[in-house]
Amino acid sequence: MKQIIGGNWKMNGSGLAALEFLREMKRLGSGSVSTEIVLFPPFTILPLIADAAADAGIETGGQDIFWLEKGAFTGEISPSLLLDAGASWFLAGHSERRHVIGETDDIVRRKLQAGLSSGLRGILCVGELIEERDAGRTEEVVKRQVEYALRDLECVSNENFVIAYEPVWAIGTGLTATPDEAQRMHSLIREWVAGISGSDFADNTRIQYGGSVKPDNAAEILSMPSINGALVGGASLDAENFMDIVRAVPLQD
Ligand code: 13P
């Protein structure tokens, strides 16, 4: 299956920096790879880069989404506003939304459902906190996040739905799960997806790894059989680093 590399800029960058980044990505050959590349800049940058991203062979997405279409929801961005801004993807449940803003499993699920129903493609982010890992609760926490989001989810397919496993302790810390640890969690996530949506769906679900993915560790991580891409934060801010990660995707047969 085609790997998918996401660049999550979080609250960084600018319109000018994004245009320069895309020019550089194009120069480095982003359009010539078979890997799917999606950039998640801050909302305000999305409409500015729609044409340049398409020209570089890169899709764009919102880092978050709201679950209703319109109304008195100050500061929120609806699925149709994202589509209007040129986005084709969204993230739901990023750990910074869950743990800094306080989003619950229920909110994440509503966001995922609204985005998929609108025709956008979504990445469901899951992952455990260091305290949960230290308490031996990693599997319980990630299983709950996956199952809560997926149960009775409508309009979901292998084309429009991706999971990102991002252990929270590995995000922005320089720490990563070892490739074997990540592979083990990805296999478990696939089993949990199979339990809800069937093994055919699970076998074809792309599961990205995220958390301090860098050019020097990407090849090892991306070569694990249950890892189908990466969601990259810090290293996606620089086009050369990001392209090095894209190029680390093993050749498909
Ligand atoms: P870092 O790559 O900076 O650790 O961030 C990962 C992440 O949160 C991507 O969504």
Side-chain angles (χ1 to χ4, degrees), residues 22 39 81 83 92 96 123 142 153 161 167 172 185 237:
L22 289 167
L39 187 65
L81 284 169
L83 285 161
E96 286 139 24
I123 300 181
V142 177
L153 193 66
F161 175 72
M185 278 307 291
L237 290 165

Side-chain angles (χ1 to χ4, degrees), residues 151-174:
R151 201 178 305 281
D152 299 326
L153 193 66
E154 293 170 5
C155 304
V156 62
S157 71
N158 289 131
E159 282 68 50
N160 72 3
F161 175 72
V162 169
I163 295 177
Y165 170 59
E166 302 198 289
V168 183
W169 48 270
I171 295 180
T173 57

